[in-house]
Each structure stands twice: as structure tokens, then as C-alpha cells.
């Protein structure tokens, strides 16, 4: 009894072309960037009224699933996009910093709405005047709250940024 | 009913508590700090004011008695709310705590202590409740600078 039941296909003669998709050439950063920009796993750090807009833009009429940014992960260890949705207070800032530090590289941060971007109309003892005071931000979405089109535009700009970026996967340079 | 109660309250409490006025369906008393506890006890025990709504304060920076501590009470039996205003000086901004009469007062007094620095005598847990440990000053006082921030996380630049 032969143990092997898989048919053995003879290798194609060198140089033969049968129309199959045998190999392609690309730049490593373009390939990895292409993969990463369509597989964003957002962590929604949702604190305030922008949450309603976040739900609206996530739901079917606007549907961020089309951009691969659909499945919210509620553990920062599984997420690569930190969406800060709403006002962050000074009291809450250590929590935001800890969530950011718990995320694995590569990671990106989106400031969703004017409060997360700059503090908005809050200029007082309580509100953090923009999350970029404590963590780096990749894309800012203004508006109080932003229109869904603005959020989608923000996601697309972030995707462009990811596609253009260098993506070291083995060493610092490769 | 409301007018009967109003007359009764005015006759029985006003002589000790000074002038009372009716404002938007709320009976307003202005008290001295030492009158607060007896008045609240009578409101609760004799007039059925069993619900303590809120305590806050007003800062009048130009006045000698700078802070006005404002208590609100409602009753499940009377259709008339009561507001007590107690003036205290900035040097000793303290009134008696109502936490022994109304358990819910403990948290609300903590908030008022956060924001205005009113010391509630008898409330032994005046830790920050909305603010955080290490916050100095009282942000809803008029002399707290509008733009003063006390960040917990150092800024990046």
C-alpha cells in the first residue's frame, strides 16, 4: 500500500508559460503597507458625545467595514488603531497613555472630533487640550461632531499614510 | 396645601432664620451657619423633607461673607421645595455636614469641597471625588485662573 495519495505533478519545464500567476515583484514596504492599511483593528477609546457619531459611521449606512476598519477590539493588545473619540480630561489622561502604551507596534492614533484634536471649546481646569500633548497623533478629524464623510476621509488619509510609510518587519531597516 | 405649608414654614422657621422668600415655587431661607443644623433637622423631622437634593456654593468675591452654601430639599409629601442659603467667610469657609441626617449628603459635600473648598464639619471623607489627588486650589472659585492646568501626565513638548 502506497502511503502517498497526493498526485505528483511533474514540474513545468523551465521557461514554460501556462498563464498561471506564478510570481510577482513588488516593494516590501508597498506589500506590507497594502496589507496593513486594509486590516486596521480599531480600539475605540470613547469618552463623550462623539461616540454617537462613531456608532453612526460604524453602522451600515456609512460602514467603516468597507475600509477594513470594522472590528473593534476591546483589548489594546489586539488593536493597532487607537480611535480617541471625545473629550479627554486630565484625570483620564493617565488611562489613555496606558492604553496607548499597551498597544503593540505598529500602531496609529486617530483624534476623532475637535475635543480630542485640540480640546475644542474646553479651556479650563479639567480638559486636556488635545491628546497630542501626551501621545503622537497620525490623523486629526475636526468637527463637533465630525460628519461621517469627514471620518471616512480621515480613515482614507490614514490608509494613504500607512501605504506610504516604511514597514520594518525583520530588522530596523528591513 | 402648598400655601398652608408655606405659612406654617414661614411662621415656625422664619423667626429664627430671618427673611424667607418664594422663588419659582421654592421657599428660600437665608441662614447663619449655626442655624443650619437645627433648621435642617426640623425640616426633616417636623415637615417631612426626606429628600436631600443637592449642595453647592456660590462665590461672591467682593463680599465679606464670600461663599454662599446652597442646600436644596424636597419632600415626598409636600409639593414645595426648600432652599437654604448659608453665608460663610473666606477665612473659615465651613458649615456643618448633613451626612448624619442624609446619607447622600456625603458624596455631594465631597464635590462641593472639590469645587469651592467648603469644609463640611463632621464629614470625615472629603477626599477629591471629581478632581484628583494632588490638585491644588478649587476650580469653581472666581479667583481660579481660567487657563490653569494641572496635568497628571507630562506633556510631550
Amino acid at each position: 500500500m502506497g502511503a502517498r495519495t497526493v498526485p505528483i505533478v511533474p514540474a513545468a519545464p523551465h521557461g514554460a508559460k501556462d498563464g498561471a500567476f506564478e510570481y510577482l515583484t513588488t516593494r516590501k514596504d508597498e506589500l506590507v503597507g497594502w496589507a496593513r492599511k486594509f486590516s486596521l483593528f480599531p480600539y475605540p477609546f470613547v469618552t463623550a458625545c462623539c461616540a454617537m457619531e462613531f456608532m453612526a459611521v460604524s453602522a451600515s449606512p456609512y460602514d467603516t467595514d468597507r475600509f477594513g476598519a470594522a472590528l473593534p477590539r476591546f483589548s489594546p493588545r489586539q488593536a493597532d488603531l487607537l480611535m480617541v473619540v471625545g473629550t479627554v480630561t486630565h484625570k483620564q489622561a493617565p488611562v489613555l497613555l496606558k492604553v496607548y502604551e499597551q498597544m503593540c507596534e505598529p500602531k496609529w492614533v486617530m483624534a476623532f472630533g475637535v475635543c480630542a484634536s485640540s480640546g475644542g471649546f474646553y479651556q479650563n481646569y479639567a480638559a486636556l487640550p488635545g491628546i497630542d500633548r501626551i501621545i503622537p497623533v497620525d490623523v486629526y478629524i475636526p468637527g463637533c461632531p465630525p460628519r461621517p464623510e469627514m471620518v471616512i476621509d480621515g480613515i482614507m488619509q490614514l490608509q494613504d499614510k500607512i501605504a506610504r510609510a516604511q514597514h520594518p518587519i525583520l530588522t530596523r531597516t528591513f | 396645601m402648598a400655601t398652608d405649608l408655606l405659612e406654617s414654614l414661614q411662621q415656625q422657621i422664619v423667626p429664627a432664620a430671618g427673611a424667607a422668600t418664594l422663588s419659582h415655587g421654592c421657599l428660600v431661607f437665608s441662614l447663619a451657619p449655626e442655624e443650619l443644623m437645627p433648621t435642617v433637622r426640623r425640616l426633616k423631622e417636623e415637615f417631612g423633607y426626606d429628600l436631600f437634593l443637592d449642595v453647592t456654593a456660590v462665590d461672591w468675591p467682593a463680599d465679606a461673607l464670600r461663599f454662599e452654601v446652597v442646600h436644596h430639599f424636597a419632600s415626598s409629601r409636600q409639593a414645595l421645595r426648600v432652599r437654604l442659603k448659608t453665608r460663610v467667610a473666606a477665612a473659615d469657609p465651613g458649615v456643618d455636614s448633613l451626612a448624619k441626617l442624609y446619607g447622600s449628603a456625603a458624596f455631594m459635600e465631597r464635590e462641593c469641597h472639590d469645587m469651592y473648598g467648603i469644609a463640611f464639619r463632621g464629614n470625615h471623607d472629603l477626599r477629591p471625588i471629581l478632581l484628583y489627588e494632588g490638585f491644588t486650589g478649587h476650580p469653581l472659585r472666581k479667583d481660579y485662573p481660567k487657563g490653569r492646568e494641572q496635568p497628571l501626565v507630562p506633556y510631550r513638548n
Side-chain angles (χ1 to χ4, degrees):
Chain A
M1 285 291 289
R4 192 176 184 123
T5 56
V6 180
I8 299 167
V9 180
H14 181 70
K17 289 187 169 57
D18 58 0
F21 193 32
E22 291 176 335
Y23 63 90
L24 59 89
T25 59
T26 181
R27 289 174 56 240
K28 180 264 302 173
D29 285 334
E30 278 184 22
L31 179 67
V32 177
W34 174 81
R36 283 180 174 168
K37 79 175 188 177
F38 288 121
S39 60
L40 293 169
F41 279 60
Y43 177 94
F45 191 91
V46 178
T47 56
C49 35
C50 270
M52 297 297 133
E53 202 59 41
F54 173 76
M55 294 172 208
V57 76
S58 302
S60 33
Y62 293 97
D63 195 9
T64 50
D65 199 1
R66 294 179 291 154
F67 305 93
L71 187 63
R73 308 306 300 182
F74 297 107
S75 164
R77 299 172 203 285
Q78 299 172 349
D80 51 15
L81 170 60
L82 178 60
M83 296 178 84
V84 183
V85 184
T87 322
V88 177
T89 59
H90 284 303
K91 194 174 180 179
Q92 205 173 21
V95 181
L96 176 63
L97 184 66
K98 178 165 269 188
V99 166
Y100 177 77
E101 286 172 344
Q102 283 176 340
M103 291 170 65
C104 296
E105 295 280 352
K107 55 188 172 184
W108 299 276
V109 179
M110 172 186 284
F112 187 117
V114 74
C115 287
S117 300
S118 70
F121 50 74
Y122 296 110
Q123 187 197 358
N124 58 22
Y125 65 95
L128 182 69
I131 58 166
D132 55 1
R133 300 290 176 103
I134 58 168
I135 56 175
V137 176
D138 292 282
V139 58
Y140 298 85
I141 303 174
C144 182
R147 292 280 310 161
E149 296 87 339
M150 299 161 75
V151 180
I152 289 170
D153 191 51
I155 294 174
M156 290 166 66
Q157 288 196 26
L158 180 64
Q159 287 182 325
D160 289 346
K161 183 174 182 174
I162 295 170
R164 286 196 308 270
Q166 199 204 355
H167 296 277
I169 50 176
L170 293 178
T171 64
R172 187 177 289 273
T173 52
F174 184 81
Chain B
M1 177 63 203
T3 49
D4 292 350
L5 176 73
L6 183 59
E7 285 174 11
S8 161
L9 277 170
Q10 278 179 327
Q11 283 165 8
Q12 297 193 43
I13 291 184
V14 171
T21 53
L22 196 60
S23 166
H24 301 281
C26 188
L27 191 63
V28 184
F29 294 102
S30 293
L31 305 175
E34 63 274 11
E35 294 168 339
L36 180 67
M37 272 309 262
T39 308
V40 174
R41 186 168 282 123
R42 290 193 67 196
L43 278 175
K44 184 183 179 189
E45 291 168 1
E46 296 175 30
F47 295 95
Y49 280 83
D50 45 10
L51 177 61
F52 175 63
L53 290 175
D54 194 19
V55 57
T56 183
V58 185
D59 184 1
W60 301 96
D63 293 6
L65 293 173
R66 179 174 161 189
F67 296 105
E68 188 173 66
V69 186
V70 185
H71 294 83
H72 283 95
F73 300 89
S75 167
S76 54
R77 280 168 272 169
Q78 330 274 17
L80 184 69
R81 293 188 175 200
V82 168
R83 175 185 304 150
L84 304 180
K85 294 181 173 180
T86 312
R87 294 299 288 256
V88 292
D92 176 27
V95 296
D96 289 328
S97 168
L98 304 186
K100 288 193 177 68
L101 290 174
Y102 301 93
S104 60
F107 275 1
M108 301 190 219
E109 287 171 355
R110 274 174 73 181
E111 183 194 347
C112 190
H113 178 259
D114 266 8
M115 297 297 168
Y116 294 95
I118 307 295
F120 290 90
R121 288 185 290 267
N123 187 336
H124 300 295
D125 183 15
L126 287 176
R127 286 173 299 146
I129 185 168
L130 294 181
L131 298 177
Y132 35 89
E133 294 289 346
F135 194 96
T136 56
H138 304 284
L140 293 193
R141 286 188 176 185
K142 299 288 187 198
D143 54 4
Y144 188 90
K146 182 169 72 84
R148 183 179 171 200
E149 298 170 26
Q150 302 187 34
L152 285 177
V153 176
Y155 286 171
R156 291 168 61 228
N157 42 33

